[in-house]
């Protein structure tokens, strides 16, 4: 109970709050050392908390968490009080799994979107030390589904030593896979896994399927169509003709 008037009461409350000032803010990686989160940004947040006279009792931990989560590469954060004078912030970094592009965005448009290992889209700039990532594309809220199909497609293609470089889901929900050798597989809207299995089974027996930079249309009930770009010796460099082949599996 304060008996000295409102001004005296406010002053006493302020003194009580400052008896437990925040003297340090420690940032800890949830999985060890923080590799990509900007240390200078974290220092800026820590300095702002201390410069504002943050109190161990009054500082809103949810506000601190929200500020930390705005820093590039931070997926989640947990803030804890360590009395008498320390805030400890545990940070989970985003781990990049693939590049992301929303469907209907023009190829080559400037984007810095990535998909993490949870199938969540986030924005961050990759440096040159990161190995090449597969590219995903799809409508809003489809990243987790595209990632799941990428993993399923990868398992199927491993049987023929092929790997997907891109997996795309169109706004009409048609699947397309581009292989690392430049070939594109059109799987359509239904039974994508079954159609890819047809390609895998036909791969060793159809020479055209082992060419690079081709397009394979698997949207047929029981077969597939192959378009192979061939360069004739007599044609100028870069000139190509198209050959179409069909086969039944």
């Amino acid at each position: 109970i304060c008996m000295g008037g409102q001004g005296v009461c406010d002053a006493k409350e302020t003194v009580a709050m400052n008896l437990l000032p925040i003297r340090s803010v420690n940032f800890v990686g949830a999985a060890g050392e923080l590799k990509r989160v900007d240390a200078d940004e974290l220092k800026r947040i820590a300095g702002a908390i201390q410069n504002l006279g943050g109190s161990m009792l009054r500082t809103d931990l949810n506000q601190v968490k929200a500020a930390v989560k705005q820093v590039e590469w931070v997926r989640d954060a947990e803030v804890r009080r360590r009395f008498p004078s320390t805030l400890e912030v545990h940070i989970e970094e985003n781990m990049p799994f693939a590049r992301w592009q929303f469907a209907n965005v023009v190829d080559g448009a400037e984007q810095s979107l990535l998909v993490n290992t949870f199938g969540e889209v986030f924005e961050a700039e990759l440096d040159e030390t990161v190995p090449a990532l597969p590219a995903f594309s799809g409508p809003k809220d489809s990243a987790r589904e595209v990632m799941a199909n990428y993993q399923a497609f990868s398992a199927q293609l491993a049987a023929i030593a092929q790997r997907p470089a891109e997996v795309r889901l169109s706004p009409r929900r048609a699947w397309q896979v581009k292989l690392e050798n430049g070939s594109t597989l059109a799987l359509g809207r239904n039974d994508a896994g079954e159609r890819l299995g047809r390609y895998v089974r036909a791969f060793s027996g159809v020479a055209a399927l082992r060419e690079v930079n081709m397009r394979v249309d698997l949207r047929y009930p029981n077969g597939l169509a192959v378009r192979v770009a061939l360069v004739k010796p007599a044609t100028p460099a870069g000139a190509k003709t198209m050959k179409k082949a069909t086969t039944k599996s």
Side-chain angles (χ1 to χ4, degrees):
I1 301 173
C2 183
M3 304 295 291
Q6 186 62 46
V8 176
C9 289
D10 290 343
K12 289 183 176 180
E13 183 178 357
T14 300
V15 171
M17 287 171 56
N18 289 336
L19 289 175
L20 290 172
I22 296 172
R23 299 193 183 280
S24 63
V25 182
N26 295 338
F27 297 97
V28 181
E33 181 183 0
L34 295 172
K35 297 180 180 179
R36 296 185 174 88
V37 174
D38 189 339
D40 290 337
E41 276 296 300
L42 298 181
K43 289 178 182 178
R44 182 187 62 77
I45 293 173
I49 293 171
Q50 293 173 275
N51 292 337
L52 292 174
S55 162
M56 290 291 291
L57 298 177
R58 292 296 186 92
T59 295
D60 188 329
L61 301 189
N62 287 328
Q63 288 186 355
V64 175
K65 175 177 179 175
V68 173
K69 288 184 68 174
Q70 293 299 311
V71 178
E72 192 174 76
W73 290 103
V74 174
R75 177 179 183 262
D76 201 4
E78 182 181 353
V79 187
R80 302 170 184 171
R81 294 182 176 93
R82 291 285 185 250
F83 287 98
S85 60
T86 299
L87 285 186
E88 190 173 273
V89 185
H90 288 253
I91 294 175
E92 180 184 2
E93 281 188 309
N94 277 304
M95 299 297 293
F97 187 89
R99 295 183 181 274
W100 177 259
Q101 187 175 61
F102 285 108
N104 288 334
V105 174
V106 178
D107 286 342
E110 192 74 20
Q111 286 192 311
S112 55
L113 299 178
L114 301 168
V115 179
N116 65 19
T117 51
F118 292 88
E120 301 163 342
V121 176
F122 68 101
E123 186 171 3
E125 293 290 341
L126 279 175
D127 57 42
E128 296 180 355
T129 63
V130 178
L133 298 175
F136 295 168
S137 176
K140 184 179 180 181
D141 298 327
S142 67
R144 190 171 279 109
E145 180 183 7
V146 175
M147 179 177 172
N149 269 14
Y150 167 85
Q151 293 170 322
F153 296 158
S154 295
Q156 288 180 275
L157 290 165
I160 55 172
Q162 298 291 324
R163 293 181 58 185
E166 300 178 13
V167 175
R168 297 177 178 271
L169 177 63
S170 76
R172 299 183 64 222
R173 302 196 58 76
W175 291 95
Q176 184 182 91
V177 176
K178 186 172 183 179
L179 305 179
E180 288 186 341
N181 68 2
S183 297
T184 300
L185 314 180
L187 303 176
R189 290 182 288 177
N190 302 312
D191 305 318
E194 180 180 330
R195 290 171 175 176
L196 184 61
R198 186 192 310 153
Y199 169 81
V200 171
R201 291 190 298 273
F203 187 81
S204 61
V206 180
L209 297 182
R210 298 190 294 277
E211 299 288 340
V212 299
N213 299 320
M214 65 185 179
R215 178 177 174 82
V216 184
D217 192 340
L218 291 143
R219 294 173 293 178
Y220 296 89
N222 299 303
L224 52 86
V226 186
R227 290 189 299 169
V228 185
L230 299 176
V231 180
K232 295 182 178 180
T235 57
K240 296 181 180 181
T241 60
M242 301 302 294
K243 175 183 178 182
K244 183 173 182 180
T246 60
T247 183
K248 298 285 186 179
S249 61

